[in-house]
Structures are given as structure tokens and as C-alpha cells.
Amino acid sequence: MILGIGTDLANIERIQGTLDRFGDRFRNRVFTEIEQKRAERMTDPAAVYAKRWAAKEACSKALGTGLRMGIAWKDMAVSNLPTGQPVMHVTGWAAERLDRMTPEGYDAVIHVTLTDDHPWAQAFVVIEALPEREMSARPPMPTRPRRLA
């Protein structure tokens, strides 16, 4: 069952302007160390930051709150599997919200997809609840945790 859906569109040039103006203050407030490392090793860091910004906005919408009610930017983080597939992790208040919205007997899975076509970056997030028995029947996926420790 689908628990939440969110989408967001971010302007890469706007993110670049924010990076130019606020630099590390912006990076450190919004993005985790893992997100920053990935962005800074890419050809166009602003595009990477913009996609992650959009993913955080989309995730907060899928959680049904938007960026209010205690969710911090770093409570939502995107990493990538070795295949390049993006993975959304939630901690703090976002994890608490996810737990509250997940029905008993179900496990939540967060699906995220990212794209960009200059000057736009876009993200979609779908939160799905799967019965616990369905999750236990799946092979373990240790590289795809729901939350960062």
C-alpha cells in the first residue's frame, strides 16, 4: 500500500547562487557529509545538490508534513548504491513520523528517483508499506537501509 507520494522541482542555478553566497554554511545546514562528498567530486556539484534538495522536499511531502513540524534537512539524506540507484534514509523526526504513519504489521520502504536537465532538477518519492511477511520473504538487502545510524 502507498503511504505517501511527494515530488519537487528545484532550479540548479538558484542552488548555485545559494552555494556562491553562503558556501559551507548552506552545505552544512542542509546536506550530510556523504551528500557533500558525492556532490563535490562531480563535474556539476550544483546539479547534485539541487537533486538532493528536491529529494528532501519530496520526502517531506510524502511524509505528509512538508518541511515543518520538526523535520530537519539532515533528517532526510540521499546516498547511492554501487549501481548508482539513489536511496533515501531518514533519521530523527522524519524517522519518527515514518514509524507513526506505518501500519502495525507493515514495514515502510522509501523509493526515490532523481533527474536533472539544466536548469532543473527533479525528485519523486513514494513511501510504500509492505506486510512484514513480504519483507521477510525478500532476500536481505544490507546495502539499502531505511535509516542512517
Side-chain angles (χ1 to χ4, degrees):
M1 97 179 58
I2 303 298
L3 298 179
I5 299 172
T7 185
D8 193 65
L9 185 66
N11 186 288
I12 296 168
E13 293 170 358
R14 182 175 147 248
I15 296 296
Q16 181 63 64
T18 303
L19 288 164
D20 293 343
R21 184 168 178 200
F22 298 105
D24 285 342
R25 185 171 152 209
F26 171 65
R27 279 184 204 87
N28 294 332
R29 179 172 173 249
V30 176
F31 303 102
T32 65
E33 188 176 323
I34 292 168
E35 291 172 312
Q36 290 180 46
K37 284 180 180 177
R38 179 171 180 87
E40 295 304 323
R41 71 174 181 259
M42 298 300 189
T43 307
D44 186 1
V48 177
Y49 284 124
K51 286 186 280 190
R52 276 145 179 76
W53 174 279
K56 292 167 188 268
E57 288 273 7
C59 185
S60 70
K61 292 171 186 175
L63 289 168
T65 62
L67 284 163
R68 57 184 177 87
M69 297 177 63
I71 291 181
W73 285 104
K74 288 184 176 181
D75 285 349
M76 300 162 290
V78 177
S79 67
N80 294 81
L81 297 178
T83 61
Q85 176 184 350
V87 179
M88 178 65 70
H89 308 273
V90 294
T91 58
W93 200 92
E96 292 171 19
R97 170 70 179 154
L98 182 62
D99 286 340
R100 282 195 308 276
M101 66 190 284
T102 304
E104 191 172 326
Y106 286 80
D107 288 311
V109 178
I110 302 174
H111 304 277
V112 61
T113 186
L114 309 172
T115 190
D116 66 284
D117 186 6
H118 198 84
W120 300 106
Q122 187 172 32
F124 287 95
V125 170
V126 175
I127 302 174
E128 177 184 24
L130 295 174
E132 287 175 347
R133 66 183 182 282
E134 219 176 287
M135 289 292 288
S136 63
R138 291 180 173 197
M141 295 174 30
T143 58
R144 189 167 180 172
R146 176 170 110 186
R147 297 187 178 98
L148 288 176

